[in-house]
Amino acid sequence: MFPPLSHLRRRVLAAAPELLAPLFFRCLSTATAPAARKPTTAVAVLWDLAASSPPTTLPLYDTAVRLHLSATSFGRLRLSVAFVHPTHRLPAPAAPAATTHLCRVCGRRFRARDALLRHFDAIHAREHAKRLARIDSSRGDRRVRLAAALSLKLSKYEKAARELTAGADAAATPADELGRAGIRVALTRTPAASFRERAHQVLDEGSVGCLMLVSGKDELASLLRVARERGVRSVVVGGESGLARWADVGFSWAEVISGKARNAAPSVSGKWRDRDVLKGLEWRYEEADDEEELVFEDSDGDGVEELARNAKGKPWWKLESDDEDSNVGG
């Protein structure tokens, strides 16, 4: 006959803890696993646009965004200021010889930008006007359904037209592009002096642990020495100049744009932390200010000063009796 089902159920319940225990501890270890530690050092970015202009291979907005990404790799961004002269203008981004201009509506490519603009105005602008006229001429539920059906095409056209308009005016004012990237722009007639004054103010406040200077002037070497004396890490962007020699680490614009500076930031920050730990554990020899005086003690305290006075100027093992014996023998 068949064994009772209760016996089989007891076997399953007895084996259940052994089967569920690994899964339980695995879930527990996954839930309690510590997250990756993010850098908490406050970072300040100061940029002298006239002294360190980025390359024209990218728009200024894209370059500013990548600069911010590199700065946030060293810690949390606390301050970001760019000092710009009111009459400063940047050239338009240099396009490669084999580049093509893409129409964001239909996907067609053109060799010249003028051809793209003519195509956009002749075809897509007219189609957009016809769609708007159809929606305006409709009434009631038909208008609602038609607007819903054409909403994707309308938004696609508006986005493409906005990109073409922004591309034509991208090099007109760098302040707008920097502000759109999240950098506060300070318009000043003396960018270099304002840059140095703001850097000294940041160091005096002591609110940041890492100072990123985007400049190419060698006159700022004294500022970097002050930052090192106060324990503030310094990063220089624009490694083509000699200013990077005085900083803790320096990157060129090519490294910032390509992302090498962002990838190298965690290892650099780790080396800084290890150096601080070793510096705290370092043993230093401190000389005593006052030399210890030799004290002679006697059983009854008599003749101590006389013994110390006679001991000066000759070896301690030579006594007065030895001198008298030598005189008698002579």
Side-chain angles (χ1 to χ4, degrees), residues 21-264:
L23 180 61
F24 171 77
F25 288 111
R26 194 184 309 119
C27 297
L28 183 62
S29 62
T30 305
T32 59
R37 184 176 60 177
K38 295 182 179 180
T40 58
T41 306
V43 181
V45 179
L46 301 179
W47 186 358
D48 188 357
L49 193 62
S52 181
S53 297
T56 58
T57 54
L58 281 180
L60 184 59
Y61 169 77
D62 297 338
T63 305
V65 169
R66 301 190 185 193
L67 178 64
H68 266 186
L69 291 176
S70 302
T72 52
S73 301
F74 288 96
R76 54 183 179 86
L77 190 62
R78 181 181 178 86
L79 178 66
S80 180
V81 184
F83 299 90
V84 184
H85 196 275
T87 60
H88 184 81
R89 291 293 181 271
L90 290 178
T99 186
T100 57
H101 300 274
L102 176 66
C103 178
R104 298 294 181 180
V105 178
C106 62
R108 185 177 174 183
R109 295 182 178 273
F110 299 87
R111 293 183 178 180
R113 180 181 175 82
D114 296 338
L116 172 61
L117 294 177
R118 289 194 300 267
H119 160 78
F120 195 84
D121 293 336
I123 298 178
H124 301 302
R126 292 181 181 181
E127 292 178 351
H128 184 69
K130 290 180 181 179
R131 295 190 188 99
L132 293 179
R134 288 180 58 189
I135 294 176
D136 292 339
S137 62
S138 302
R139 296 291 183 272
D141 296 341
R142 186 173 182 274
R143 179 171 182 171
V144 174
R145 292 194 298 269
L146 187 61
L150 298 177
S151 60
L152 182 60
K153 294 182 179 181
L154 294 177
S155 61
K156 190 175 183 180
Y157 172 84
E158 292 174 356
K159 184 178 180 180
R162 187 165 53 248
E163 289 183 359
L164 288 177
T165 306
D169 302 334
T173 164
D176 296 338
E177 295 298 309
L178 294 175
R180 194 160 62 95
I183 300 178
R184 191 174 65 183
V185 179
L187 297 177
T188 173
R189 294 289 180 179
T190 57
S194 302
F195 179 88
R196 180 183 290 272
E197 182 181 358
R198 183 56 171 159
H200 279 289
Q201 182 180 357
V202 170
L203 293 177
D204 293 338
E205 292 176 354
S207 57
V208 298
C210 180
L211 181 62
M212 177 177 284
L213 302 181
V214 187
S215 178
K217 292 189 175 182
D218 297 340
E219 294 80 6
L220 299 175
S222 59
L223 180 64
L224 296 179
R225 287 195 293 268
V226 173
R228 180 170 298 181
E229 292 174 358
R230 300 187 180 183
V232 178
R233 302 298 182 183
S234 57
V235 180
V236 171
V237 175
E240 296 81 2
S241 65
L243 184 63
R245 297 179 301 173
W246 302 96
D248 293 322
V249 63
F251 299 105
S252 62
W253 274 115
E255 293 174 339
V256 172
I257 293 175
S258 62
K260 291 182 179 180
R262 183 183 180 186
N263 296 333

